[in-house]
Amino acid sequence: MKQKKCAIRGTSFDEIQSRFLGSITDDMYLEMTKEDTEEILDELLIQALPWFKLPKNKNLLKYDLKNRCFYEKLNEMEIAIVVKYMTMTWLQQQIYTVDNIRQKYSGSDFKFTSQASHIKQLVALKAETEREGYHLQSNYSRMELKDGVYRSSLSKIMEVY
């Protein structure tokens, strides 16, 4: 996916979504038009944002949907967290799709096609992805940029007021 520059000096949706597409394998996006793909990826991105709790000095819920970018410039760690939660949201959609398949088959037919095993793996993978996102946020919250280098902010956290 060719990335567009964000007109407002924030982070473009394309920058985040290209990282997301690099983390999953889904041929569906190759078969779709660019516009349809952007629409679906924009929705995944927007659904992922509320999972990112307390981004430092940034309002990730403030974005320009028309120009497809955030007003804020996201750093690498923030992008990684958003991508992780996009992946979790994408996995949730996969689970719902398999649930729909299950409803179309009887119990033995569903098991015969190994869809039950597949959904179990997806649920476990979604839970693991959610856990990884939580740990990324935990590490992010304990970091600060000082003199161009990321350092632990644990001393600030441990200060008594």
Side-chain angles (χ1 to χ4, degrees):
M1 176 185 294
K2 187 176 179 181
Q3 295 182 17
K4 296 181 219 166
K5 284 278 191 189
C6 185
I8 53 179
R9 292 194 309 202
T11 300
S12 73
F13 285 10
D14 289 337
E15 184 178 348
I16 296 168
Q17 292 166 353
S18 67
R19 300 236 187 122
F20 165 74
L21 289 172
S23 71
I24 64 162
T25 53
D26 192 338
D27 293 340
M28 174 187 80
Y29 296 112
L30 298 174
E31 299 168 5
M32 298 169 59
T33 66
K34 180 179 185 256
E35 292 77 19
D36 289 343
T37 301
E38 282 181 354
E39 186 178 333
I40 290 171
L41 292 177
D42 288 355
E43 186 60 34
L44 279 174
L45 175 59
I46 291 165
Q47 289 175 10
L49 294 176
W51 287 92
F52 191 168
K53 310 290 186 224
L54 304 172
K56 296 177 185 176
N57 302 317
K58 294 182 182 168
N59 181 356
L60 297 185
L61 300 179
K62 190 174 178 183
Y63 48 82
D64 181 348
L65 196 53
K66 182 178 179 254
N67 292 309
R68 303 183 61 252
C69 57
F70 291 96
Y71 289 102
E72 307 277 356
K73 182 71 178 158
L74 279 62
N75 64 36
E76 293 297 319
M77 187 65 136
E78 293 160 341
I79 291 171
I81 293 168
V82 172
V83 166
K84 187 60 72 174
Y85 285 121
M86 281 182 73
T87 304
M88 186 195 73
T89 303
W90 175 78
L91 284 166
Q92 186 67 51
Q93 287 182 351
Q94 304 306 305
I95 292 167
Y96 290 156
T97 300
V98 175
D99 274 342
N100 288 334
I101 292 170
R102 177 179 15 196
Q103 292 172 10
K104 293 179 183 177
Y105 293 99
S106 67
S108 61
D109 289 339
F110 183 76
K111 290 177 185 159
F112 178 72
T113 62
S114 76
Q115 294 298 322
S117 174
H118 181 66
I119 195 169
K120 185 176 180 181
Q121 290 173 337
L122 285 173
V123 169
L125 185 57
K126 181 204 170 268
E128 176 63 17
T129 303
E130 186 175 346
R131 187 188 68 75
E132 289 171 357
Y134 175 80
H135 285 292
L136 279 174
Q137 283 190 81
S138 180
N139 289 339
Y140 167 80
S141 69
R142 294 189 300 252
M143 294 172 22
E144 67 179 344
L145 187 61
K146 193 172 188 177
D147 301 325
V149 177
Y150 283 102
R151 301 185 190 282
S152 172
S153 63
L154 192 57
S155 61
K156 283 186 177 182
I157 294 169
M158 300 302 288
E159 285 180 5
V160 179
Y161 293 95

mmCIF file of all heavy atoms in Angstrom, residues 90-133:
data_model
loop_
_atom_site.group_PDB
_atom_site.id
_atom_site.type_symbol
_atom_site.label_atom_id
_atom_site.label_comp_id
_atom_site.label_asym_id
_atom_site.label_seq_id
_atom_site.Cartn_x
_atom_site.Cartn_y
_atom_site.Cartn_z
ATOM 1 N N TRP A 90 -9.102 -7.380 14.288
ATOM 2 C CA TRP A 90 -9.206 -8.216 13.093
ATOM 3 C C TRP A 90 -9.483 -9.671 13.486
ATOM 4 O O TRP A 90 -10.334 -10.333 12.891
ATOM 5 C CB TRP A 90 -7.913 -8.099 12.280
ATOM 6 C CG TRP A 90 -7.839 -9.002 11.096
ATOM 7 C CD1 TRP A 90 -8.443 -8.828 9.887
ATOM 8 C CD2 TRP A 90 -7.121 -10.227 11.008
ATOM 9 N NE1 TRP A 90 -8.135 -9.865 9.050
ATOM 10 C CE2 TRP A 90 -7.320 -10.740 9.716
ATOM 11 C CE3 TRP A 90 -6.307 -10.935 11.891
ATOM 12 C CZ2 TRP A 90 -6.749 -11.924 9.287
ATOM 13 C CZ3 TRP A 90 -5.728 -12.120 11.467
ATOM 14 C CH2 TRP A 90 -5.961 -12.602 10.175
ATOM 15 N N LEU A 91 -8.779 -10.161 14.518
ATOM 16 C CA LEU A 91 -9.009 -11.537 14.987
ATOM 17 C C LEU A 91 -10.446 -11.701 15.494
ATOM 18 O O LEU A 91 -11.072 -12.732 15.263
ATOM 19 C CB LEU A 91 -8.017 -11.897 16.092
ATOM 20 C CG LEU A 91 -6.607 -12.207 15.619
ATOM 21 C CD1 LEU A 91 -5.637 -12.206 16.792
ATOM 22 C CD2 LEU A 91 -6.568 -13.531 14.878
ATOM 23 N N GLN A 92 -10.957 -10.685 16.174
ATOM 24 C CA GLN A 92 -12.342 -10.740 16.651
ATOM 25 C C GLN A 92 -13.299 -10.898 15.480
ATOM 26 O O GLN A 92 -14.250 -11.668 15.547
ATOM 27 C CB GLN A 92 -12.689 -9.482 17.455
ATOM 28 C CG GLN A 92 -14.045 -9.525 18.095
ATOM 29 C CD GLN A 92 -14.138 -10.582 19.181
ATOM 30 O OE1 GLN A 92 -13.292 -10.635 20.063
ATOM 31 N NE2 GLN A 92 -15.131 -11.429 19.117
ATOM 32 N N GLN A 93 -13.030 -10.191 14.387
ATOM 33 C CA GLN A 93 -13.874 -10.328 13.201
ATOM 34 C C GLN A 93 -13.785 -11.740 12.622
ATOM 35 O O GLN A 93 -14.781 -12.287 12.155
ATOM 36 C CB GLN A 93 -13.471 -9.307 12.139
ATOM 37 C CG GLN A 93 -13.874 -7.902 12.477
ATOM 38 C CD GLN A 93 -13.495 -6.917 11.388
ATOM 39 O OE1 GLN A 93 -12.777 -7.239 10.445
ATOM 40 N NE2 GLN A 93 -13.983 -5.689 11.531
ATOM 41 N N GLN A 94 -12.590 -12.322 12.654
ATOM 42 C CA GLN A 94 -12.421 -13.690 12.158
ATOM 43 C C GLN A 94 -13.229 -14.669 13.013
ATOM 44 O O GLN A 94 -13.853 -15.600 12.493
ATOM 45 C CB GLN A 94 -10.939 -14.106 12.165
ATOM 46 C CG GLN A 94 -10.019 -13.190 11.398
ATOM 47 C CD GLN A 94 -10.449 -12.959 9.974
ATOM 48 O OE1 GLN A 94 -10.638 -13.898 9.215
ATOM 49 N NE2 GLN A 94 -10.620 -11.703 9.604
ATOM 50 N N ILE A 95 -13.233 -14.446 14.318
ATOM 51 C CA ILE A 95 -13.997 -15.310 15.232
ATOM 52 C C ILE A 95 -15.484 -15.205 14.927
ATOM 53 O O ILE A 95 -16.182 -16.207 14.845
ATOM 54 C CB ILE A 95 -13.695 -14.941 16.705
ATOM 55 C CG1 ILE A 95 -12.248 -15.313 17.042
ATOM 56 C CG2 ILE A 95 -14.675 -15.628 17.653
ATOM 57 C CD1 ILE A 95 -11.746 -14.710 18.352
ATOM 58 N N TYR A 96 -15.963 -13.988 14.736
ATOM 59 C CA TYR A 96 -17.386 -13.805 14.422
ATOM 60 C C TYR A 96 -17.749 -14.486 13.116
ATOM 61 O O TYR A 96 -18.831 -15.046 12.984
ATOM 62 C CB TYR A 96 -17.738 -12.325 14.353
ATOM 63 C CG TYR A 96 -17.713 -11.607 15.685
ATOM 64 C CD1 TYR A 96 -17.520 -10.240 15.747
ATOM 65 C CD2 TYR A 96 -17.881 -12.296 16.893
ATOM 66 C CE1 TYR A 96 -17.499 -9.567 16.965
ATOM 67 C CE2 TYR A 96 -17.846 -11.632 18.106
ATOM 68 C CZ TYR A 96 -17.660 -10.274 18.137
ATOM 69 O OH TYR A 96 -17.637 -9.622 19.334
ATOM 70 N N THR A 97 -16.844 -14.444 12.139
ATOM 71 C CA THR A 97 -17.089 -15.101 10.854
ATOM 72 C C THR A 97 -17.211 -16.612 11.049
ATOM 73 O O THR A 97 -18.113 -17.250 10.511
ATOM 74 C CB THR A 97 -15.959 -14.780 9.860
ATOM 75 O OG1 THR A 97 -15.909 -13.371 9.679
ATOM 76 C CG2 THR A 97 -16.195 -15.453 8.521
ATOM 77 N N VAL A 98 -16.311 -17.193 11.831
ATOM 78 C CA VAL A 98 -16.362 -18.638 12.086
ATOM 79 C C VAL A 98 -17.614 -18.984 12.888
ATOM 80 O O VAL A 98 -18.250 -20.011 12.651
ATOM 81 C CB VAL A 98 -15.078 -19.130 12.794
ATOM 82 C CG1 VAL A 98 -15.196 -20.596 13.172
ATOM 83 C CG2 VAL A 98 -13.868 -18.922 11.895
ATOM 84 N N ASP A 99 -18.011 -18.109 13.809
ATOM 85 C CA ASP A 99 -19.263 -18.335 14.555
ATOM 86 C C ASP A 99 -20.451 -18.398 13.598
ATOM 87 O O ASP A 99 -21.354 -19.212 13.774
ATOM 88 C CB ASP A 99 -19.497 -17.219 15.582
ATOM 89 C CG ASP A 99 -18.791 -17.489 16.900
ATOM 90 O OD1 ASP A 99 -18.412 -18.660 17.149
ATOM 91 O OD2 ASP A 99 -18.630 -16.531 17.671
ATOM 92 N N ASN A 100 -20.457 -17.541 12.576
ATOM 93 C CA ASN A 100 -21.532 -17.581 11.579
ATOM 94 C C ASN A 100 -21.525 -18.896 10.807
ATOM 95 O O ASN A 100 -22.575 -19.445 10.500
ATOM 96 C CB ASN A 100 -21.413 -16.402 10.602
ATOM 97 C CG ASN A 100 -21.780 -15.092 11.251
ATOM 98 O OD1 ASN A 100 -22.539 -15.053 12.215
ATOM 99 N ND2 ASN A 100 -21.230 -14.017 10.732
ATOM 100 N N ILE A 101 -20.337 -19.399 10.488
ATOM 101 C CA ILE A 101 -20.227 -20.684 9.798
ATOM 102 C C ILE A 101 -20.778 -21.793 10.683
ATOM 103 O O ILE A 101 -21.500 -22.674 10.227
ATOM 104 C CB ILE A 101 -18.755 -20.977 9.415
ATOM 105 C CG1 ILE A 101 -18.303 -20.002 8.332
ATOM 106 C CG2 ILE A 101 -18.589 -22.424 8.948
ATOM 107 C CD1 ILE A 101 -16.812 -20.040 8.064
ATOM 108 N N ARG A 102 -20.457 -21.733 11.982
ATOM 109 C CA ARG A 102 -20.923 -22.755 12.907
ATOM 110 C C ARG A 102 -22.452 -22.815 12.929
ATOM 111 O O ARG A 102 -23.043 -23.876 13.015
ATOM 112 C CB ARG A 102 -20.396 -22.485 14.322
ATOM 113 C CG ARG A 102 -20.926 -23.510 15.310
ATOM 114 C CD ARG A 102 -20.484 -23.393 16.733
ATOM 115 N NE ARG A 102 -19.867 -22.164 17.137
ATOM 116 C CZ ARG A 102 -19.175 -22.047 18.252
ATOM 117 N NH1 ARG A 102 -19.008 -23.086 19.050
ATOM 118 N NH2 ARG A 102 -18.652 -20.907 18.597
ATOM 119 N N GLN A 103 -23.103 -21.663 12.841
ATOM 120 C CA GLN A 103 -24.560 -21.627 12.891
ATOM 121 C C GLN A 103 -25.197 -22.271 11.660
ATOM 122 O O GLN A 103 -26.336 -22.708 11.714
ATOM 123 C CB GLN A 103 -25.031 -20.177 13.028
ATOM 124 C CG GLN A 103 -24.679 -19.576 14.369
ATOM 125 C CD GLN A 103 -24.974 -18.090 14.419
ATOM 126 O OE1 GLN A 103 -25.607 -17.548 13.532
ATOM 127 N NE2 GLN A 103 -24.503 -17.433 15.467
ATOM 128 N N LYS A 104 -24.448 -22.368 10.563
ATOM 129 C CA LYS A 104 -24.985 -22.949 9.337
ATOM 130 C C LYS A 104 -24.886 -24.473 9.310
ATOM 131 O O LYS A 104 -25.511 -25.110 8.476
ATOM 132 C CB LYS A 104 -24.252 -22.379 8.123
ATOM 133 C CG LYS A 104 -24.519 -20.910 7.907
ATOM 134 C CD LYS A 104 -23.750 -20.385 6.723
ATOM 135 C CE LYS A 104 -23.980 -18.887 6.580
ATOM 136 N NZ LYS A 104 -23.209 -18.330 5.487
ATOM 137 N N TYR A 105 -24.066 -25.035 10.177
ATOM 138 C CA TYR A 105 -23.867 -26.484 10.182
ATOM 139 C C TYR A 105 -24.396 -27.080 11.474
ATOM 140 O O TYR A 105 -24.432 -26.423 12.513
ATOM 141 C CB TYR A 105 -22.370 -26.815 10.068
ATOM 142 C CG TYR A 105 -21.778 -26.446 8.740
ATOM 143 C CD1 TYR A 105 -21.065 -25.257 8.590
ATOM 144 C CD2 TYR A 105 -21.921 -27.280 7.643
ATOM 145 C CE1 TYR A 105 -20.521 -24.907 7.364
ATOM 146 C CE2 TYR A 105 -21.375 -26.942 6.412
ATOM 147 C CZ TYR A 105 -20.676 -25.756 6.288
ATOM 148 O OH TYR A 105 -20.139 -25.422 5.082
ATOM 149 N N SER A 106 -24.752 -28.350 11.399
ATOM 150 C CA SER A 106 -25.155 -29.042 12.630
ATOM 151 C C SER A 106 -23.896 -29.331 13.450
ATOM 152 O O SER A 106 -22.784 -29.176 12.959
ATOM 153 C CB SER A 106 -25.871 -30.346 12.288
ATOM 154 O OG SER A 106 -24.957 -31.251 11.692
ATOM 155 N N GLY A 107 -24.048 -29.772 14.667
ATOM 156 C CA GLY A 107 -22.926 -30.031 15.568
ATOM 157 C C GLY A 107 -21.881 -30.958 14.990
ATOM 158 O O GLY A 107 -20.693 -30.656 15.001
ATOM 159 N N SER A 108 -22.284 -32.095 14.431
ATOM 160 C CA SER A 108 -21.293 -33.043 13.917
ATOM 161 C C SER A 108 -20.646 -32.534 12.630
ATOM 162 O O SER A 108 -19.464 -32.748 12.397
ATOM 163 C CB SER A 108 -21.934 -34.414 13.673
ATOM 164 O OG SER A 108 -22.955 -34.298 12.708
ATOM 165 N N ASP A 109 -21.405 -31.856 11.772
ATOM 166 C CA ASP A 109 -20.828 -31.297 10.558
ATOM 167 C C ASP A 109 -19.801 -30.216 10.885
ATOM 168 O O ASP A 109 -18.770 -30.105 10.241
ATOM 169 C CB ASP A 109 -21.911 -30.687 9.664
ATOM 170 C CG ASP A 109 -22.795 -31.728 9.012
ATOM 171 O OD1 ASP A 109 -22.345 -32.892 8.911
ATOM 172 O OD2 ASP A 109 -23.920 -31.379 8.616
ATOM 173 N N PHE A 110 -20.094 -29.422 11.891
ATOM 174 C CA PHE A 110 -19.179 -28.356 12.284
ATOM 175 C C PHE A 110 -17.862 -28.956 12.760
ATOM 176 O O PHE A 110 -16.795 -28.513 12.386
ATOM 177 C CB PHE A 110 -19.809 -27.488 13.382
ATOM 178 C CG PHE A 110 -18.950 -26.332 13.789
ATOM 179 C CD1 PHE A 110 -18.849 -25.208 12.984
ATOM 180 C CD2 PHE A 110 -18.236 -26.363 14.968
ATOM 181 C CE1 PHE A 110 -18.055 -24.133 13.350
ATOM 182 C CE2 PHE A 110 -17.443 -25.298 15.336
ATOM 183 C CZ PHE A 110 -17.352 -24.187 14.530
ATOM 184 N N LYS A 111 -17.937 -29.987 13.583
ATOM 185 C CA LYS A 111 -16.727 -30.633 14.086
ATOM 186 C C LYS A 111 -15.982 -31.331 12.965
ATOM 187 O O LYS A 111 -14.764 -31.348 12.926
ATOM 188 C CB LYS A 111 -17.083 -31.624 15.192
ATOM 189 C CG LYS A 111 -17.538 -30.929 16.460
ATOM 190 C CD LYS A 111 -17.957 -31.902 17.512
ATOM 191 C CE LYS A 111 -18.510 -31.120 18.692
ATOM 192 N NZ LYS A 111 -19.362 -31.899 19.525
ATOM 193 N N PHE A 112 -16.706 -31.925 12.033
ATOM 194 C CA PHE A 112 -16.086 -32.656 10.933
ATOM 195 C C PHE A 112 -15.219 -31.732 10.078
ATOM 196 O O PHE A 112 -14.153 -32.110 9.623
ATOM 197 C CB PHE A 112 -17.163 -33.324 10.071
ATOM 198 C CG PHE A 112 -16.600 -34.050 8.889
ATOM 199 C CD1 PHE A 112 -15.911 -35.242 9.059
ATOM 200 C CD2 PHE A 112 -16.743 -33.521 7.617
ATOM 201 C CE1 PHE A 112 -15.369 -35.901 7.967
ATOM 202 C CE2 PHE A 112 -16.209 -34.183 6.514
ATOM 203 C CZ PHE A 112 -15.523 -35.379 6.701
ATOM 204 N N THR A 113 -15.658 -30.497 9.860
ATOM 205 C CA THR A 113 -14.896 -29.576 9.023
ATOM 206 C C THR A 113 -13.765 -28.893 9.798
ATOM 207 O O THR A 113 -13.089 -28.037 9.262
ATOM 208 C CB THR A 113 -15.822 -28.491 8.427
ATOM 209 O OG1 THR A 113 -16.394 -27.746 9.498
ATOM 210 C CG2 THR A 113 -16.899 -29.087 7.557
ATOM 211 N N SER A 114 -13.583 -29.263 11.037
ATOM 212 C CA SER A 114 -12.549 -28.744 11.933
ATOM 213 C C SER A 114 -12.681 -27.246 12.198
ATOM 214 O O SER A 114 -11.738 -26.606 12.606
ATOM 215 C CB SER A 114 -11.137 -29.072 11.429
ATOM 216 O OG SER A 114 -10.767 -28.249 10.370
ATOM 217 N N GLN A 115 -13.855 -26.694 11.968
ATOM 218 C CA GLN A 115 -14.092 -25.289 12.276
ATOM 219 C C GLN A 115 -14.058 -25.039 13.782
ATOM 220 O O GLN A 115 -13.640 -23.970 14.219
ATOM 221 C CB GLN A 115 -15.430 -24.825 11.686
ATOM 222 C CG GLN A 115 -15.471 -24.826 10.174
ATOM 223 C CD GLN A 115 -14.449 -23.870 9.580
ATOM 224 O OE1 GLN A 115 -14.211 -22.794 10.104
ATOM 225 N NE2 GLN A 115 -13.835 -24.277 8.489
ATOM 226 N N ALA A 116 -14.477 -26.023 14.550
ATOM 227 C CA ALA A 116 -14.455 -25.867 16.011
ATOM 228 C C ALA A 116 -13.018 -25.683 16.491
ATOM 229 O O ALA A 116 -12.735 -24.835 17.339
ATOM 230 C CB ALA A 116 -15.107 -27.068 16.683
ATOM 231 N N SER A 117 -12.112 -26.462 15.946
ATOM 232 C CA SER A 117 -10.701 -26.340 16.303
ATOM 233 C C SER A 117 -10.161 -24.981 15.860
ATOM 234 O O SER A 117 -9.404 -24.324 16.586
ATOM 235 C CB SER A 117 -9.904 -27.466 15.645
ATOM 236 O OG SER A 117 -8.541 -27.284 15.855
ATOM 237 N N HIS A 118 -10.570 -24.571 14.688
ATOM 238 C CA HIS A 118 -10.116 -23.286 14.161
ATOM 239 C C HIS A 118 -10.574 -22.124 15.046
ATOM 240 O O HIS A 118 -9.782 -21.233 15.377
ATOM 241 C CB HIS A 118 -10.643 -23.111 12.732
ATOM 242 C CG HIS A 118 -10.225 -21.845 12.069
ATOM 243 N ND1 HIS A 118 -8.919 -21.566 11.745
ATOM 244 C CD2 HIS A 118 -10.950 -20.775 11.670
ATOM 245 C CE1 HIS A 118 -8.858 -20.371 11.183
ATOM 246 N NE2 HIS A 118 -10.080 -19.873 11.125
ATOM 247 N N ILE A 119 -11.836 -22.135 15.442
ATOM 248 C CA ILE A 119 -12.334 -21.039 16.284
ATOM 249 C C ILE A 119 -11.645 -21.053 17.650
ATOM 250 O O ILE A 119 -11.350 -19.999 18.204
ATOM 251 C CB ILE A 119 -13.875 -21.062 16.428
ATOM 252 C CG1 ILE A 119 -14.361 -19.721 16.978
ATOM 253 C CG2 ILE A 119 -14.347 -22.182 17.321
ATOM 254 C CD1 ILE A 119 -15.856 -19.527 16.920
ATOM 255 N N LYS A 120 -11.359 -22.226 18.168
ATOM 256 C CA LYS A 120 -10.656 -22.320 19.453
ATOM 257 C C LYS A 120 -9.267 -21.684 19.342
ATOM 258 O O LYS A 120 -8.836 -20.952 20.237
ATOM 259 C CB LYS A 120 -10.547 -23.786 19.879
ATOM 260 C CG LYS A 120 -9.959 -23.990 21.238
ATOM 261 C CD LYS A 120 -9.978 -25.463 21.604
ATOM 262 C CE LYS A 120 -9.391 -25.670 22.989
ATOM 263 N NZ LYS A 120 -9.368 -27.081 23.363
ATOM 264 N N GLN A 121 -8.582 -21.929 18.240
ATOM 265 C CA GLN A 121 -7.266 -21.336 18.017
ATOM 266 C C GLN A 121 -7.365 -19.823 17.859
ATOM 267 O O GLN A 121 -6.520 -19.080 18.377
ATOM 268 C CB GLN A 121 -6.606 -21.953 16.789
ATOM 269 C CG GLN A 121 -6.189 -23.391 16.987
ATOM 270 C CD GLN A 121 -5.690 -24.020 15.700
ATOM 271 O OE1 GLN A 121 -6.034 -23.571 14.606
ATOM 272 N NE2 GLN A 121 -4.884 -25.056 15.831
ATOM 273 N N LEU A 122 -8.382 -19.358 17.161
ATOM 274 C CA LEU A 122 -8.564 -17.912 16.987
ATOM 275 C C LEU A 122 -8.843 -17.216 18.318
ATOM 276 O O LEU A 122 -8.311 -16.142 18.583
ATOM 277 C CB LEU A 122 -9.705 -17.626 16.004
ATOM 278 C CG LEU A 122 -9.415 -17.856 14.525
ATOM 279 C CD1 LEU A 122 -10.690 -17.686 13.705
ATOM 280 C CD2 LEU A 122 -8.332 -16.916 14.022
ATOM 281 N N VAL A 123 -9.673 -17.832 19.136
ATOM 282 C CA VAL A 123 -9.993 -17.253 20.448
ATOM 283 C C VAL A 123 -8.725 -17.166 21.304
ATOM 284 O O VAL A 123 -8.470 -16.142 21.947
ATOM 285 C CB VAL A 123 -11.107 -18.062 21.146
ATOM 286 C CG1 VAL A 123 -11.257 -17.654 22.600
ATOM 287 C CG2 VAL A 123 -12.429 -17.882 20.408
ATOM 288 N N ALA A 124 -7.918 -18.222 21.281
ATOM 289 C CA ALA A 124 -6.667 -18.216 22.058
ATOM 290 C C ALA A 124 -5.700 -17.161 21.518
ATOM 291 O O ALA A 124 -5.048 -16.444 22.292
ATOM 292 C CB ALA A 124 -6.023 -19.600 22.019
ATOM 293 N N LEU A 125 -5.626 -17.042 20.205
ATOM 294 C CA LEU A 125 -4.750 -16.055 19.596
ATOM 295 C C LEU A 125 -5.213 -14.635 19.903
ATOM 296 O O LEU A 125 -4.403 -13.749 20.182
ATOM 297 C CB LEU A 125 -4.682 -16.275 18.082
ATOM 298 C CG LEU A 125 -3.713 -15.410 17.298
ATOM 299 C CD1 LEU A 125 -2.290 -15.548 17.822
ATOM 300 C CD2 LEU A 125 -3.764 -15.782 15.819
ATOM 301 N N LYS A 126 -6.512 -14.398 19.891
ATOM 302 C CA LYS A 126 -7.047 -13.080 20.234
ATOM 303 C C LYS A 126 -6.698 -12.717 21.677
ATOM 304 O O LYS A 126 -6.265 -11.606 21.968
ATOM 305 C CB LYS A 126 -8.556 -13.025 20.031
ATOM 306 C CG LYS A 126 -9.131 -11.651 20.360
ATOM 307 C CD LYS A 126 -10.589 -11.735 20.717
ATOM 308 C CE LYS A 126 -11.084 -10.427 21.260
ATOM 309 N NZ LYS A 126 -11.008 -10.314 22.694
ATOM 310 N N ALA A 127 -6.864 -13.687 22.595
ATOM 311 C CA ALA A 127 -6.541 -13.434 24.002
ATOM 312 C C ALA A 127 -5.050 -13.127 24.163
ATOM 313 O O ALA A 127 -4.677 -12.219 24.926
ATOM 314 C CB ALA A 127 -6.935 -14.640 24.855
ATOM 315 N N GLU A 128 -4.203 -13.850 23.453
ATOM 316 C CA GLU A 128 -2.755 -13.608 23.511
ATOM 317 C C GLU A 128 -2.412 -12.237 22.937
ATOM 318 O O GLU A 128 -1.596 -11.505 23.495
ATOM 319 C CB GLU A 128 -2.005 -14.709 22.760
ATOM 320 C CG GLU A 128 -0.515 -14.509 22.662
ATOM 321 C CD GLU A 128 0.216 -14.510 23.996
ATOM 322 O OE1 GLU A 128 -0.356 -14.970 25.010
ATOM 323 O OE2 GLU A 128 1.355 -14.024 24.039
ATOM 324 N N THR A 129 -3.052 -11.851 21.853
ATOM 325 C CA THR A 129 -2.812 -10.549 21.234
ATOM 326 C C THR A 129 -3.256 -9.426 22.168
ATOM 327 O O THR A 129 -2.566 -8.412 22.308
ATOM 328 C CB THR A 129 -3.540 -10.457 19.883
ATOM 329 O OG1 THR A 129 -3.110 -11.534 19.053
ATOM 330 C CG2 THR A 129 -3.257 -9.144 19.184
ATOM 331 N N GLU A 130 -4.384 -9.614 22.830
ATOM 332 C CA GLU A 130 -4.854 -8.618 23.799
ATOM 333 C C GLU A 130 -3.865 -8.486 24.955
ATOM 334 O O GLU A 130 -3.547 -7.382 25.397
ATOM 335 C CB GLU A 130 -6.234 -9.012 24.321
ATOM 336 C CG GLU A 130 -6.862 -7.970 25.219
ATOM 337 C CD GLU A 130 -8.279 -8.321 25.618
ATOM 338 O OE1 GLU A 130 -8.898 -9.231 25.019
ATOM 339 O OE2 GLU A 130 -8.784 -7.672 26.554
ATOM 340 N N ARG A 131 -3.336 -9.611 25.414
ATOM 341 C CA ARG A 131 -2.342 -9.611 26.497
ATOM 342 C C ARG A 131 -1.074 -8.884 26.055
ATOM 343 O O ARG A 131 -0.509 -8.077 26.800
ATOM 344 C CB ARG A 131 -2.027 -11.045 26.929
ATOM 345 C CG ARG A 131 -1.133 -11.136 28.163
ATOM 346 C CD ARG A 131 -0.677 -12.562 28.437
ATOM 347 N NE ARG A 131 0.236 -13.066 27.426
ATOM 348 C CZ ARG A 131 1.516 -12.709 27.310
ATOM 349 N NH1 ARG A 131 2.036 -11.831 28.144
ATOM 350 N NH2 ARG A 131 2.276 -13.215 26.378
ATOM 351 N N GLU A 132 -0.632 -9.144 24.827
ATOM 352 C CA GLU A 132 0.560 -8.480 24.304
ATOM 353 C C GLU A 132 0.344 -6.967 24.210
ATOM 354 O O GLU A 132 1.245 -6.187 24.523
ATOM 355 C CB GLU A 132 0.924 -9.047 22.936
ATOM 356 C CG GLU A 132 1.468 -10.455 22.982
ATOM 357 C CD GLU A 132 1.628 -11.080 21.602
ATOM 358 O OE1 GLU A 132 1.259 -10.435 20.588
ATOM 359 O OE2 GLU A 132 2.108 -12.216 21.545
ATOM 360 N N GLY A 133 -0.847 -6.555 23.773
ATOM 361 C CA GLY A 133 -1.161 -5.129 23.711
ATOM 362 C C GLY A 133 -1.108 -4.491 25.092
ATOM 363 O O GLY A 133 -0.583 -3.381 25.256
#
